[in-house]
Amino acid sequence: MDEKVSTKTALSILAVALVSFSGIMSETSMNVTFPVLSKLFNTSLNTIQWVTTAYLLSVTVMVTTSAYLTKRFSVRTLWLTGVIIFTAGTLVGGLANNVPVLLLGRIMQGVAAGIAMPLMFNIIIANIPQSRIGTWMGIGSLVVSLAPSFGPTYGGALIDSFGWRSIFFILLIVPIISLLVGWRSVAHTTPAKLTQKFDSTAFILLAITLTAALLTVNQLQGGQINWSLFSVTVVALMVFIWRALTSKQLFLNIRLLLRPRYASLLLVVGLYMFANLGFNLIGPNFLQDIQHTSSFAAGFSLLPGTLLGAVLNPWFGRIYDLKGAKLPLYLGNFIFLLSVVVMALIAQSMTLWVLIVAYIVFTFGRNLAFGNGMTAAVADVEVDMKADANAIMQTFQMFMGALGTTVAALYGAGNAGMVAGFANFLWVIVGVALVNVVLLVIHFKSKVV
């Protein structure tokens, strides 16, 4: 039976989604400002890209707490906290007169998005009937996939007309709309009565691991590995795993990673985020630096594909409801692979309009597989572990997005030049699509635990 979703539930999802959307959109809207900010603050592309990476890292670290926060606080409390922090961070970013203050504002925006994004999916998982879960997870993934691609157009239009600060100030409209939509609809849910404390030690260890890992990758621009940072990453990761498996306090249930069906799709979804956010950085910068397009045109290059993905995402989720996961995942990855191979082969002669068409195909394939990958990953998990599964999924996505941004910036700023860097990064994405084929086979051949 096709059960209905109440208006109150739909509005509560929308209210939280607005915070998620604006947070993610603010991330990629800054990508087209990098040439301007590099000159303004007299710094390199690889340094200024931390305006994006610091945001993604703060989202990643914050999302790790979502399973605990969902159990500890009501949905309404978390939503209002996200709105307040996002508003404050947006003001700080818009008023910044140097890179450290700008980074502070971006980190605050990241904390807000790190609260709102998993909260949105948790509301969907907890309140949407099983017969509609694919469609509504598709709507949720629409936010995750639409916002990063819509951002460059938004940022490009504003920076050409009103300057980079307007990117922040105009976003202040969004929390106001979220409050209007959600004030009567976002529920005062009753938090669980927890007998266990939050495992702050495990949280700190994971935060150190993620930060050190990104710093290690960022340092590769010098042509060598920073072994000190690499050692910190490895040691912190090993201690975190030991702590997570032995502690009686609450944080993340990483035992889910031992389940092949869940772990394989976790990697698939994370690799799509790596590819998407990496391309969203290097694509517009390639157009500005090599094709000498305006900031607006470079940002606009991603918009047609983005809008198509937005329109089709709920339909992609409906395919999951009707046909299951196999068709959309395999078909989506094939289309994604085909688009990236073509772009990689013609990268050196890529024009604005060719990139627009290629990105439409890129987004069609990626979105078809991405949203349904998230739905299928959580589908097999027991009800009492779904919050953990969602938290791990969102954490890994954001980390891989930050990694994709960092790697793309390294290729763009490399000694080989932007043209070769763009082509080489596209071949990296081809490798991502091929790895995903193997991971999908593992998922569908593994038994449900």
Side-chain angles (χ1 to χ4, degrees):
M1 184 175 66
D2 198 17
E3 300 168 88
K4 292 184 178 180
V5 176
S6 70
T7 302
K8 185 175 182 180
T9 296
L11 289 175
S12 67
I13 293 171
L14 174 60
V16 178
L18 283 168
V19 183
S20 301
F21 179 88
S22 55
I24 300 170
M25 189 176 75
S26 72
E27 176 255 319
T28 53
S29 65
M30 295 301 293
N31 289 348
V32 295
T33 71
F34 287 174
V36 173
L37 294 179
S38 293
K39 294 177 183 177
L40 179 65
F41 296 122
N42 192 28
T43 187
S44 68
L45 173 64
N46 198 45
T47 298
I48 207 68
Q49 63 89 20
W50 277 94
V51 170
T52 292
T53 302
Y55 165 86
L56 289 170
L57 186 59
S58 62
V59 175
T60 304
V61 171
M62 195 64 206
V63 166
T64 65
T65 68
S66 63
Y68 173 81
L69 292 177
T70 300
K71 298 169 186 174
R72 177 67 178 80
F73 300 102
S74 74
V75 169
R76 188 176 182 84
T77 299
L78 293 175
W79 165 63
L80 287 173
T81 300
V83 169
I84 292 169
I85 296 175
F86 179 80
T87 302
T90 302
L91 283 170
V92 170
L95 296 171
N97 58 4
N98 56 56
V99 173
V101 175
L102 180 59
L103 289 178
L104 175 62
R106 300 290 286 141
I107 289 169
M108 293 174 70
Q109 287 182 318
V111 169
I115 293 171
M117 195 186 318
L119 181 63
M120 174 183 66
F121 285 106
N122 283 332
I123 293 173
I124 292 172
I125 292 168
N127 295 281
I128 299 300
Q130 193 60 37
S131 63
R132 302 290 302 278
I133 193 71
T135 301
W136 279 87
M137 285 292 283
I139 293 172
S141 64
L142 177 154
V143 173
V144 179
S145 58
L146 172 63
S149 300
F150 190 72
T153 305
Y154 167 79
L158 290 179
I159 194 171
D160 282 346
S161 303
F162 304 107
W164 67 271
R165 296 182 190 276
S166 63
I167 294 172
F168 287 92
F169 294 138
I170 292 177
L171 274 178
L172 291 171
I173 297 171
V174 177
I176 296 173
I177 298 173
S178 178
L179 287 171
L180 292 173
V181 171
W183 194 256
R184 291 180 177 274
S185 60
V186 179
H188 283 286
T189 55
T190 303
K193 294 181 178 179
L194 300 178
T195 58
Q196 299 163 289
K197 294 181 178 180
F198 177 69
D199 194 340
S200 56
T201 301
F203 169 72
I204 292 170
L205 286 167
L206 184 56
I208 292 172
T209 301
L210 297 173
T211 304
L214 283 181
L215 288 171
T216 301
V217 174
N218 186 256
Q219 294 288 313
L220 291 176
Q221 185 183 26
Q224 57 187 353
I225 297 175
N226 186 319
W227 290 106
S228 297
L229 282 172
F230 180 75
S231 299
V232 170
T233 303
V234 173
V235 171
L237 177 60
M238 292 175 64
V239 177
F240 164 71
I241 293 172
W242 170 81
R243 175 75 182 187
L245 293 175
T246 59
S247 175
K248 297 186 182 301
Q249 296 178 325
L250 287 175
F251 185 47
L252 287 177
N253 183 1
I254 65 170
R255 288 180 175 83
L256 284 168
L257 300 178
L258 299 175
R259 302 185 180 188
R261 285 178 64 86
Y262 175 78
S264 57
L265 288 189
L266 174 71
L267 290 170
V268 167
V269 170
L271 287 170
Y272 283 135
M273 186 64 84
F274 171 94
N276 195 44
L277 293 197
F279 187 88
N280 286 353
L281 183 144
I282 200 169
N285 278 282
F286 167 82
L287 290 175
Q288 289 180 85
D289 292 350
I290 305 303
Q291 299 298 337
H292 306 295
T293 64
S294 66
S295 297
F296 173 75
F300 176 81
S301 66
L302 306 180
L303 184 59
T306 293
L307 294 179
L308 178 67
V311 171
L312 295 179
N313 238 31
W315 179 71
F316 290 158
R318 190 59 180 163
I319 294 176
Y320 176 93
D321 290 333
L322 297 173
K323 301 292 185 180
K326 184 174 288 188
L327 174 62
L329 285 173
Y330 276 123
L331 179 60
N333 194 69
F334 173 76
I335 295 171
F336 173 77
L337 171 61
L338 184 63
S339 70
V340 182
V341 168
V342 171
M343 282 195 286
L345 290 172
I346 63 172
Q348 295 189 354
S349 58
M350 183 90 69
T351 64
L352 172 64
W353 289 104
V354 171
L355 191 145
I356 288 173
V357 174
Y359 189 73
I360 289 173
V361 182
F362 175 99
T363 304
F364 185 97
R366 176 195 170 275
N367 283 19
L368 178 58
F370 177 79
N372 287 313
M374 286 197 296
T375 306
V378 179
D380 297 332
V381 177
E382 298 87 333
V383 173
D384 61 340
M385 297 172 66
K386 286 187 184 293
D388 290 278
N390 184 37
I392 293 171
M393 179 73 66
Q394 300 298 322
T395 298
F396 189 65
Q397 276 185 54
M398 290 300 101
F399 175 75
M400 291 300 289
L403 184 62
T405 299
T406 302
V407 172
L410 286 174
Y411 275 105
N415 294 329
M418 174 60 80
V419 175
F422 181 51
N424 290 337
F425 185 73
L426 286 169
W427 284 115
V428 170
I429 302 179
V430 170
V432 163
L434 293 174
V435 169
N436 278 352
V437 173
V438 177
L439 292 170
L440 290 175
V441 172
I442 292 172
H443 171 78
F444 289 111
K445 287 188 176 295
S446 299
K447 295 180 180 179
V448 178
V449 177

